[in-house]
Amino acid sequence: MMMNYTMIALWGVVNVLQTYKMFRSIIVYEINRRRDKKLYAKNIYITRGDRLEMIAMVVVLPMTPALMFILHLLGDVGIHFLDVGAFLITCALLYYFNEVTGSYTKISPEGVEEDDGHGKKTFYPLNAIDKVTYRESCDSEIPDSVSFDTKSGERIARFGPIYGGYPLLAMTRFKMENDRWPDMNNPEEAAQVKAWMNWSSTIPHIKDKEISGLAEVDM
């Protein structure tokens, strides 16, 4: 009986802490999105985790702790492998939730910065981009993707064009046509890049092509 009370208290605490974590992460996520829009004027483009994914995680994440809490309330089941499994599932879902709400890709005049949502950040200057690869999806429900790699094969960024990839694609087109990366502090060049931030001005220029040799530095 005492063990069951302990598990009720444990899962109750997990529910409370997890709920706090979710609300805090959602608030921070929305605040950051509002700030991101203001950075657009400074030619800084930030792509974050998909909002629909976040909503789905908000629905799914509380289920396991809540079910375990109710299970222990309904009967004296003590502690068993179901609790261990539920705890591991909760940790895995929370890890993914942190990734969805905390990860981002930042494209700026200085380069590309990525955060995986778990505190690991990477940064590459624009002139480290050497290879651009467009992959067309065979599934209509899965978007096409574009990857940017260094000369040594390290992945700089990878995303679907419709999910924030157009700024970097437009900069890549500028590099291909002018043999140099755009100076985003130059109003004319920045305006040209912004004018190309769409499907018709970018994808036809890279689709079905092997684009490499762009890098000016090796990283």
Side-chain angles (χ1 to χ4, degrees), residues 88-101:
L88 292 176
I89 291 173
T90 300
C91 289
L93 290 174
L94 190 58
Y95 182 89
Y96 182 67
F97 178 75
N98 287 338
E99 190 172 299
V100 172
T101 57

Side-chain angles (χ1 to χ4, degrees), residues 88-152:
L88 292 176
I89 291 173
T90 300
C91 289
L93 290 174
L94 190 58
Y95 182 89
Y96 182 67
F97 178 75
N98 287 338
E99 190 172 299
V100 172
T101 57
S103 63
Y104 67 82
T105 300
K106 177 182 176 182
I107 302 169
S108 69
E110 288 72 38
V112 181
E113 177 182 302
E114 278 201 322
D115 189 325
D116 65 356
H118 307 295
K120 181 182 178 182
K121 291 185 179 181
T122 57
F123 175 81
Y124 294 91
L126 285 178
N127 59 3
I129 297 174
D130 184 71
K131 183 179 180 181
V132 181
T133 306
Y134 180 87
R135 291 182 176 83
E136 192 169 4
S137 174
C138 298
D139 190 336
S140 59
E141 296 184 1
I142 300 176
D144 299 344
S145 65
V146 181
S147 59
F148 300 82
D149 301 286
T150 65
K151 188 179 294 185
S152 58

Side-chain angles (χ1 to χ4, degrees), residues 40-90:
Y40 183 85
K42 298 180 180 179
N43 300 314
I44 297 175
Y45 311 94
I46 300 178
T47 304
R48 297 189 181 274
D50 185 51
R51 183 177 279 161
L52 290 178
E53 274 189 273
M54 182 182 69
I55 293 173
M57 289 302 299
V58 168
V59 174
V60 173
L61 193 54
M63 288 185 177
T64 303
L67 287 173
M68 294 308 300
F69 181 76
I70 294 171
L71 177 65
H72 284 283
L73 276 179
L74 294 177
D76 185 6
V77 294
I79 181 173
H80 42 63
F81 289 114
L82 189 60
D83 288 283
V84 176
F87 183 75
L88 292 176
I89 291 173
T90 300

